Amino acid sequence: MGKVESKVIEGQAVPRGKYPHIKRAGDFLIVSGTSSRRADNTITGAEVDGFGTTHLDIRAQTRAVIENVREILRTMRADLSDVVEITSYLVNMNDFAGYNEIYGEFFSEDGPARTTVAVHQLPHPHLLIEIRAVAYKPER
């Protein structure tokens, strides 16, 4: 199968369990489910106003998630162009249009195969989306 390697990446949000951000299995890179959570545990696209009302933004979260996936891939000398499969988890399918709009800024019809599913919840109530990605990047 080739090289097997796991990485937890400094500067990314610490995984909420015992798993890596990314795992190499031969020529494939598997990015664990990634959210818009920052290294300091704040969440992009989740703002609380002066009245304590939480405002969640699927576009901001989607952009941050894809950028986080890109940064994780770069630690293994890969990029979004190497992604062959994406699975996206949305808490609310009413957010699909906003998610799809931002997704289209990063990928075209020639991009990765994609599955998008609705889930009951994610590990934090302010998270609207999580993405898992598989990239093909042959070892050298």
Side-chain angles (χ1 to χ4, degrees):
M1 170 161 89
K3 185 175 181 181
V4 176
E5 173 185 5
S6 299
K7 273 186 156 180
V8 174
I9 300 157
E10 191 173 322
Q12 288 288 323
V14 174
R16 295 184 65 163
K18 292 188 176 200
Y19 60 88
H21 287 106
I22 189 166
K23 184 165 196 93
R24 173 178 283 284
D27 292 339
F28 289 94
L29 301 170
I30 299 97
V31 178
S32 294
T34 301
S35 71
S36 63
R37 193 165 54 97
R38 300 178 188 109
D40 67 0
N41 280 321
T42 59
I43 296 171
T44 300
E47 307 299 329
V48 179
D49 67 20
F51 296 105
T53 303
T54 302
H55 301 275
L56 304 177
D57 183 340
I58 188 62
R59 287 171 178 82
Q61 286 197 21
T62 301
R63 181 172 285 109
V65 171
I66 295 171
E67 289 170 350
N68 284 341
V69 168
R70 178 174 47 206
E71 291 308 310
I72 291 167
L73 286 167
R74 286 181 175 166
T75 68
M76 299 286 240
R77 298 188 190 125
D79 208 320
L80 293 176
S81 61
D82 299 307
V83 175
V84 295
E85 180 184 18
I86 282 186
T87 305
S88 299
Y89 305 91
L90 298 178
V91 172
N92 187 337
M93 275 298 173
N94 288 331
D95 287 334
F96 186 85
Y99 145 74
N100 209 37
E101 173 190 326
I102 302 305
Y103 182 94
E105 293 177 7
F106 292 89
F107 301 104
S108 71
E109 293 83 4
D110 293 330
R114 183 179 89 177
T115 300
T116 304
V117 296
V119 295
H120 173 68
Q121 63 186 21
L122 291 168
H124 190 284
H126 294 167
L127 294 175
L128 300 173
I129 181 171
E130 182 172 293
I131 292 178
R132 175 190 180 273
V134 177
Y136 178 74
K137 187 68 174 180
E139 296 179 71
R140 297 193 195 243

